[in-house]
Amino acid sequence: MSACVTDPIYDSVIPDLTLDELQDKTEHVGFLAIDTKYYKGEQVAKVLVNGIQPSLGVLVLNQAGFYRIEIFQGKSAQSNPAVIRVVILDPNRGDTEWGLPPWNPMHPENGMLGTQSVKLLHAPSAPQNRTIPMVVVLEEELTSSDTYLDALIGMSYFRIKRGVGSVQIPPNASSLGLSIDQQDFQLDINIIDSPPQILSGELTVDLQLAAGSYIHIPADLTIPEGITMQIDSGCFVTMAPEVNIYNNGLVLIKGSARAPVTLTCNDGLAYWGGFIGNSTGNRIDATYTIFSRSGHHTGGEYAYGHAGRQALFYSENGDLKLDHCYMIDHIGQVFYPVTCTLELTNCLVQRAKTGGQMNESELRMDRCVFTDFPDDSFDYQDEDNDGLYLNECNASISNSIFMFAKDDGLDSGASGGGEVLINNCTFEANFHEGAALSSGGSVNKLHRINNSLFTNNGQGLELGYSSPNHRVEVESCRFIGNGIGIRYGDCYETPHRGYIHVANSQSVDNTVHDVWNMNREHWAADTSHMSFENVVVTIPNPIYPELIINE
């Protein structure tokens, strides 16, 4: 662990207080200078700060974090020092990162495109003077490539991250072509000259929108129970700002790789509402569809969950099945199901306030990418910008990526239980946790995490406030280059009573701790709720002698 202390220049550092004035279990903001020469009337022999011995004089704590100060006086006290614990809070982040230094993910370096294939997903035909959403995928399928690259179309720059990126093509810019790693790719988008088919109101019979149609929805559209609306490949559907689609029946969207369906707002500076389903059995089944620019409404009846904003997909007691679908550039959240069944395969969720909140639902996810919440900047925000939040759900998540969230990549929290199985996933460059796990009361909850990578996160994996019946089992995972690799405890004073066991894994080259077990509830290391079996770390931890030191 880095000591986060500075040996002083005594003539220029004026102490804020003495050791006698410093109180145990106190919080300070930004900077603290402490005169360490005397304590309770006696001269101090030495101090240790988080196990490291600075020079005596003025102790400067100038980085946010948790500090355990041990004070030694005379020979008889060498084995029984006085202890004072303090936390320095970052002035901009406060107790959202209690006890932690602020973390901004590092910028991953560019790779090379080389001979990798490039798949462009966009509307085959679109009206003139419209912004067109486009997705770029390297190597055929999501998660097939781990390459980072810069891309440019017209004057619009965007980033390809782990083989996937997306952009809003400016009006009439498709003829300019796309440049990736000094290679050029021509777009093939035909211009639609004819006026759109207008659709709104309530459907009374089944409706099929023919392949290649241009549809505009200027006002709310209702699909009653027992009615099906089918949208065939290549359709370009625009919604006016604020418009909702109330789906209590069945929506079938049948795009293809060469002719995906596009649903977006007709105003490139505004947002439409979303799909809302309230009747039991409402269903959306979509393939190769690009959903863009939803989430207009906020507050009141649209204050859904942590995000407090409308979702692209709001459903109660419904079913959502998405295969090769791409949800990009939403001002609200993407998912907000309540007691639903969801199946997501080969899906991208990029640039939204949050990927959404799953509530009391069943989730199956495979080969999906959740990235950039709410945007792709490296500017810190504190608005619960999670990649995905699971609230009392059973979930199976495999071969997927959660990255570049201003909060957590995956947050599986709240008071509910459930069973969450995670296999072969990547959690990268999230400001707080790659995966944050919590629960409440005495609920039964199980997280199994296998064969997964946690890298460049503030904390890789955290088991925070939790039920005594909450167990986390980690097998064959890697925690590399995070602030903290594996954590028991969090920034809340809520009871921590769960248990985490880590086996056959590595937690190495993390900048603050490979393993940490500090929680705000007790201000002390918890030694009874975390265990290890064949786990390699960089720095020895005397609390866990079973850890293997990386050589």
Side-chain angles (χ1 to χ4, degrees):
M1 173 182 176
S2 59
C4 304
V5 299
T6 300
D7 281 344
I9 301 173
Y10 300 123
D11 293 337
S12 61
V13 178
I14 300 174
D16 299 304
L17 69 177
T18 66
L19 285 174
D20 286 326
E21 296 170 316
L22 186 63
Q23 297 182 23
D24 187 30
K25 297 184 181 181
T26 53
E27 299 170 0
H28 307 265
V29 177
F31 179 95
L32 188 62
I34 309 159
D35 188 333
T36 62
K37 293 187 289 294
Y38 295 92
Y39 181 64
K40 294 187 176 180
E42 296 184 18
Q43 190 170 2
V44 173
K46 69 174 181 179
V47 295
L48 294 180
V49 182
N50 293 339
I52 296 175
Q53 182 178 352
S55 301
L56 287 176
V58 180
L59 171 65
V60 178
L61 306 180
N62 58 2
Q63 182 177 357
F66 177 91
Y67 297 92
R68 187 175 191 269
I69 303 171
E70 298 175 82
I71 305 164
F72 296 84
Q73 295 174 286
K75 295 181 180 180
S76 62
Q78 292 299 311
S79 61
N80 188 29
V83 174
I84 300 175
R85 293 156 291 183
V86 298
V87 161
I88 305 298
L89 300 175
D90 181 83
N92 298 316
R93 304 194 184 187
D95 61 5
T96 62
E97 295 181 356
W98 186 93
L100 303 172
W103 180 267
N104 279 59
M106 294 178 290
H107 294 243
E109 296 182 0
N110 276 3
M112 297 179 63
L113 180 59
T115 59
Q116 294 181 85
S117 63
V118 177
K119 182 165 67 173
L120 307 181
L121 294 148
H122 55 72
S125 300
Q128 199 167 18
N129 301 318
R130 286 282 183 270
T131 300
I132 305 169
M134 179 178 71
V135 176
V136 179
V137 178
L138 305 186
E139 295 293 81
E140 294 301 320
E141 296 289 355
L142 294 175
T143 74
S144 297
S145 171
D146 61 2
T147 304
Y148 283 83
L149 293 167
D150 294 328
L152 182 70
I153 181 166
M155 298 298 291
S156 296
Y157 157 88
F158 65 103
R159 188 98 159 115
I160 293 172
K161 302 176 180 180
R162 287 194 170 268
V164 64
S166 66
V167 66
Q168 299 284 339
I169 304 173
N172 307 316
S174 61
S175 61
L176 299 177
L178 171 69
S179 177
I180 305 174
D181 194 22
Q182 300 181 343
Q183 297 187 40
D184 294 328
F185 302 87
Q186 193 62 43
L187 280 63
D188 184 15
I189 303 176
N190 297 317
I191 299 299
I192 300 174
D193 294 324
S194 57
Q197 174 184 340
I198 303 300
L199 180 64
S200 63
E202 181 173 316
L203 299 184
T204 56
V205 295
D206 293 348
L207 174 66
Q208 182 174 359
L209 301 175
S213 297
Y214 172 26
I215 311 296
H216 179 59
I217 304 177
D220 289 349
L221 174 66
T222 298
I223 305 166
E225 294 182 58
I227 298 295
T228 297
M229 181 175 73
Q230 179 172 316
I231 306 174
D232 287 337
S233 63
C235 283
F236 196 93
V237 184
T238 60
M239 270 73 64
E242 307 183 32
V243 163
N244 293 323
I245 299 177
Y246 293 92
N247 172 42
N248 292 313
L250 170 62
V251 174
L252 292 176
I253 308 178
K254 296 188 173 184
S256 67
R258 292 189 176 183
V261 171
T262 300
L263 290 91
T264 189
C265 188
N266 71 325
D267 183 339
L269 299 177
Y271 300 86
W272 63 288
F275 291 92
I276 298 174
N278 294 308
S279 295
T280 299
N282 67 86
R283 183 181 173 195
I284 297 174
D285 189 335
T287 57
Y288 281 104
T289 305
I290 301 172
F291 300 91
S292 181
R293 302 193 66 82
S294 77
H296 169 86
H297 300 279
T298 186
E301 62 182 302
Y302 299 101
Y304 304 148
H306 281 71
R309 184 136 201 163
Q310 185 171 16
L312 168 61
F313 300 108
Y314 176 89
S315 176
E316 300 174 16
N317 303 302
D319 294 282
L320 179 64
K321 184 177 181 181
L322 304 179
D323 180 24
H324 288 89
C325 288
Y326 313 93
M327 286 64 70
I328 63 174
D329 296 308
H330 300 276
I331 198 170
Q333 54 191 316
V334 175
F335 303 103
Y336 199 89
V338 181
T339 59
C340 292
T341 298
L342 302 99
E343 185 175 343
L344 310 178
T345 309
N346 293 295
C347 289
L348 169 67
V349 179
Q350 184 171 28
R351 293 187 300 271
K353 184 170 184 181
T354 166
Q357 180 173 322
M358 308 284 190
N359 304 279
E360 303 168 37
S361 295
E362 301 285 330
L363 169 65
R364 295 185 299 277
M365 180 193 302
D366 187 36
R367 298 188 301 281
C368 293
V369 176
F370 283 65
T371 184
D372 301 322
F373 303 99
D375 52 41
D376 56 3
S377 75
F378 281 78
D379 300 326
Y380 175 77
Q381 296 186 34
D382 181 22
E383 295 184 356
D384 279 316
N385 301 116
D386 295 324
L388 188 63
Y389 187 93
L390 302 180
N391 175 27
E392 199 169 346
C393 291
N394 295 321
S396 175
I397 301 172
S398 58
N399 308 306
S400 294
I401 299 172
F402 298 86
M403 58 184 180
F404 296 96
K406 298 298 193 296
D407 198 350
D408 308 322
L410 177 68
D411 191 338
S412 179
S415 59
E419 183 173 299
V420 179
L421 309 178
I422 299 170
N423 183 59
N424 195 33
C425 290
T426 296
F427 301 84
E428 179 178 5
N430 299 290
F431 275 64
H432 286 162
E433 285 74 58
L437 315 178
S438 56
S439 57
S442 58
V443 300
N444 292 311
K445 194 164 192 175
L446 173 64
H447 286 91
R448 284 199 178 101
I449 306 174
N450 299 322
N451 304 304
S452 294
L453 170 66
F454 299 77
T455 184
N456 197 15
N457 305 287
Q459 299 187 110
L461 176 66
E462 173 196 88
L463 173 57
Y465 66 90
S466 46
S467 156
N469 300 313
H470 185 169
R471 185 172 179 89
V472 178
E473 298 176 0
V474 179
E475 171 69 37
S476 302
C477 291
R478 293 176 296 152
F479 304 84
I480 301 173
N482 306 283
I484 294 171
I486 305 167
R487 168 87 182 272
Y488 180 84
D490 59 20
C491 301
Y492 302 102
E493 297 178 286
T494 312
H496 302 72
R497 299 177 294 175
Y499 191 90
I500 179 171
H501 179 71
V502 184
N504 304 311
S505 298
Q506 289 182 316
S507 185
V508 296
D509 299 328
N510 301 290
T511 60
V512 182
H513 296 283
D514 291 329
V515 170
W516 202 38
N517 56 3
M518 182 67 59
N519 64 66
R520 189 174 183 177
E521 180 188 7
H522 299 117
W523 287 70
D526 186 305
T527 59
S528 60
H529 291 87
M530 185 160 61
S531 61
F532 301 93
E533 177 185 350
N534 191 31
V535 174
V536 176
V537 298
T538 304
I539 300 174
N541 188 322
I543 296 175
Y544 301 105
E546 68 270 28
L547 293 171
I548 302 167
I549 308 307
N550 188 40
E551 297 180 356

